[in-house]
Amino acid sequence: MSERIIELGADLRRAGTAAERGAGTSEREERTLARIALAWLTEPGTRSVCQLVEELGPVAALELLLDGGAPDRKLRATVAARVAGGDPRAVAAEAVRRTERLGARIVTPEDEEWPARLVDLHRLHLTEAQRRVDTETAPPLCFWVRGSWPLAEALDRSVAVVGARAATGYGTHVATELGYGLADRDWTVVSGGAFGIDAAAHRGALNAGGLTVAVLACGVDRPYPMGNAALFERIADTGLLVSEWAPGSDPLRPRFLIRNRVIAAGTVGTVVVEASARSGATQTAHRALAIDRPTMAVPGPVTSAMSVGAHELLRDHPKTRLVTGVAHVLEEVGRIGVDLAPPARGPDRPIDTLDDDAGSVLEAMPRRGTVGVERLAARAGVDVRTAMRKLSLLEELAMVVRRDDGYALARPLRPTADRPAGP
Amino acid sequence: MSERIIELGADLRRAGTAAERGAGTSEREERTLARIALAWLTEPGTRSVCQLVEELGPVAALELLLDGGAPDRKLRATVAARVAGGDPRAVAAEAVRRTERLGARIVTPEDEEWPARLVDLHRLHLTEAQRRVDTETAPPLCFWVRGSWPLAEALDRSVAVVGARAATGYGTHVATELGYGLADRDWTVVSGGAFGIDAAAHRGALNAGGLTVAVLACGVDRPYPMGNAALFERIADTGLLVSEWAPGSDPLRPRFLIRNRVIAAGTVGTVVVEASARSGATQTAHRALAIDRPTMAVPGPVTSAMSVGAHELLRDHPKTRLVTGVAHVLEEVGRIGVDLAPPARGPDRPIDTLDDDAGSVLEAMPRRGTVGVERLAARAGVDVRTAMRKLSLLEELAMVVRRDDGYALARPLRPTADRPAGP
């Protein structure tokens, strides 16, 4: 794992150096720079920009926009206003240098650690009432990431725990317990960076020694709110700080809404702990519902304004599930994992049909990250040749994948015994 | 209204006197005595007894049982054990005398004030797990009632508010608010007689000057628990104390479960405020669900053992509706009233097709109770002949019913404007 991160760092350094050189930049680096420039020019999440990038690629899409060829007048005006403030390519190159100085990295859809799940944002169609910002539905153009975990792996088994800034003692308690319980069962906690529920969920996960991801609405070098600065450092040390905005970017108000779609789409499911009526947390829940993610709400006293949002979700959106603790949450997100696995392969789960050696190899696979054949053979207690044969079989069954640096599970292994029992 | 109550009292006195005389008892009085004897012999709610009564009538059913002809061995044993303790007919006659001394009355399905809604108990089929007492599904044989309101009218617009004895301050507060809010909007509150949620709901209704009904699992002369004695007196003064057991009967444990079906079936809908897991209140909710009554639960802190039952209902029974206050409750029970009205009569509500005079007559009808034609004509501002013609029309439209002492609404009038708006 650590080797891979060093490699990614080296890639990034190369990209940075290349950007500085101006000439000789690789095509891939050009595309990354174009994505950064596009995000700066148009704000992340703009659907028309996303479509242009898909049709033309980021480099040509950027050129088109800079030539005044934006498909609608509003976007042309946005681009023109931004261009008046600086050269987008220079801004992008500076963002890359700043990212490197920070020890952060830029992740794009071309990278292996890009979370595939975000593709579901293409299905995110919000009603007029739900959509308060134009630019809040398309998948991100790129991420800035601080922290060692590959982003996709960190989010693979992840649950969003979101809620009110002005949380009550009750809500803070519940969010901390959920964060702890999820991390304790090897699930990543994902939230924003706000006071209240967000911070409580992160703290719970950190207390369990687990993985937690803060998705920010500003640069990953901007501790906002300042009072959570120490928390962000702890998260960056053992988890991830993630943002669609370049280092130094301000936490502008609309960015929180734009950011919310990433929390909803980047995770397996979303839990609202406390939320006032029509709050940011209920917005996140609406986005999760709109793309059919398990969406959950923790009830509270009906006398508490901080539970109105959760109760509204439970009343108005029948697909929202009432959860009272981590067991209920795992029941929802765990079920999806299990449901997704077998359908294409008939009634028998392939794992049941494996011979003993293949089963041993599969069980010896690390839950996250990759492993070399020799190491795997030793862990599985089989010889290397057997390990290679069984790995071919498992690859054919789409249970493991071969990567540059070894083999990895195609998806986290969730044997039946690992699933929490119903309440 | 008061005239009617005096008449009912006179009926009762006549029944009592007749029973004392032994001979010369009217057929109707015989049937009432037989029902009382059957309830004493077999406990209320026994389905096989209810079937015998429907097939043979109460008098022949009683004779059959006393002759050892009970359809199953268990019932024969129950009857034999009871008969060893006294003569059922003498017990019944004594119950009538005791009822009269109390100023209470006996209500049977032959009485106009019998709540028609209880017939739905024929559809109550509980699973083995839900049925903890054999005798808890059939409609009651008779009721003892203390208080002036005719039972059916009191229950016509009624909501059951049930919950834990060991309620928290939160639950007590919510139940009191619900009781007050329902009574304030002219809905009857129905509950048991326990401490905690039951008592809070009654107190809320009494504080609003509204109608509240306590359905007891012992005689209406038995203040159980003693600590609620003053509350029961207040309820008897302005509302109703109701029981399926004769005066003097003990509050035996199974009787609470038997009683719960009456709370569920006698009301338009049931709200669970606080309940521990598998409690009496959730039993009542299961009975309401089993006969398709609107069933509601008030959420609470997930950290409270007293909200586990409500949350379980909301999770495990999707038809249970989360409610946070009286507006949500009225939305559920109000909707049913409206839903039940139009279907048989096509897309137009008949009320929309009435001419002005018929509309005036309908609007002048009292919400509860009956009215004479002259009085109605005066209230509607039409002459008596017009009132009579329009009453015939309204009767034909099944909107009013003719009774011995005048005309009454077929069901409470709930014009659209009267329904509470959604939250």
Side-chain angles (χ1 to χ4, degrees), chain A residues 13-225:
Chain A
R13 273 191 298 283
R14 279 193 297 277
T17 318
E20 263 165 47
R21 279 199 312 272
T25 312
S26 78
E27 273 182 37
R28 179 163 178 162
E29 286 155 4
E30 284 275 19
R31 287 195 292 271
T32 299
L33 286 165
R35 283 180 175 275
I36 298 171
L38 283 165
W40 178 74
L41 270 178
T42 63
E43 284 290 305
T46 308
R47 195 169 278 272
S48 57
V49 173
C50 182
Q51 281 163 349
L52 280 184
V53 168
E54 275 172 19
E55 285 162 25
L56 312 172
V59 176
L62 176 63
E63 274 166 20
L64 185 76
L65 291 193
L66 292 178
D67 289 348
D72 63 89
R73 186 191 298 181
K74 196 174 162 207
L75 187 58
R76 273 197 299 278
T78 308
V79 168
R82 275 290 165 107
V83 167
D87 169 24
R89 290 191 183 88
V91 168
E94 171 55 27
V96 171
R97 280 191 296 272
R98 195 162 173 173
T99 304
E100 189 175 3
R101 283 199 302 273
L102 263 177
R105 65 187 183 277
I106 296 157
V107 176
T108 76
E110 295 184 64
D111 294 309
E112 205 181 295
E113 66 171 309
W114 184 261
R117 198 179 279 139
L118 291 172
V119 74
D120 290 350
L121 284 171
H122 285 299
R123 294 197 280 113
L124 177 58
H125 297 288
L126 299 174
T127 63
E128 201 64 36
Q130 290 170 327
R131 191 159 78 187
R132 297 200 291 191
V133 182
D134 284 340
T135 62
E136 55 177 298
T137 60
L141 290 162
C142 60
F143 283 119
W144 279 264
V145 178
R146 266 185 75 194
S148 325
W149 281 95
L151 181 58
E153 286 188 24
L155 295 181
D156 185 41
R157 277 163 61 90
S158 66
V159 174
V161 178
V162 297
R165 277 190 303 279
T168 67
Y170 164 69
T172 308
H173 169 78
V174 171
T176 309
E177 290 286 304
L178 275 181
Y180 188 99
L182 286 165
D184 193 43
R185 310 233 200 155
D186 204 19
W187 282 80
T188 303
V189 171
V190 175
S191 194
F195 291 133
I197 299 302
D198 289 11
H202 290 307
R203 288 205 174 91
L206 290 168
N207 291 348
L211 190 48
T212 197
V213 175
V215 185
L216 305 178
C218 57
V220 291
D221 59 340
R222 284 284 308 260
Y224 177 84

Side-chain angles (χ1 to χ4, degrees), chain A residues 170 173-174 298-303 310-312 314-316 321-325 328 331-332 423, chain B residues 170 173-174 298-303 310-312 314-316 321-325 328 331-332 423:
Chain A
Y170 164 69
H173 169 78
V174 171
V298 177
V302 298
T303 46
H311 295 154
E312 276 184 359
L314 290 166
R315 281 178 55 79
D316 300 343
R321 193 94 165 103
L322 186 152
V323 293
T324 72
H328 288 161
E331 205 178 308
E332 297 307 303
Chain B
Y170 164 69
H173 169 78
V174 172
V298 176
V302 297
T303 46
H311 295 154
E312 276 184 359
L314 289 166
R315 281 179 54 80
D316 300 342
R321 194 93 165 104
L322 185 152
V323 293
T324 70
H328 289 161
E331 204 179 309
E332 297 307 304

Side-chain angles (χ1 to χ4, degrees), chain B residues 384-400:
Chain B
V384 172
R385 233 180 109 187
T386 306
M388 289 185 73
R389 274 211 326 276
K390 297 310 175 188
L391 279 168
S392 299
L393 170 70
L394 293 170
E395 216 185 329
E396 205 169 309
L397 289 168
M399 297 172 85
V400 307

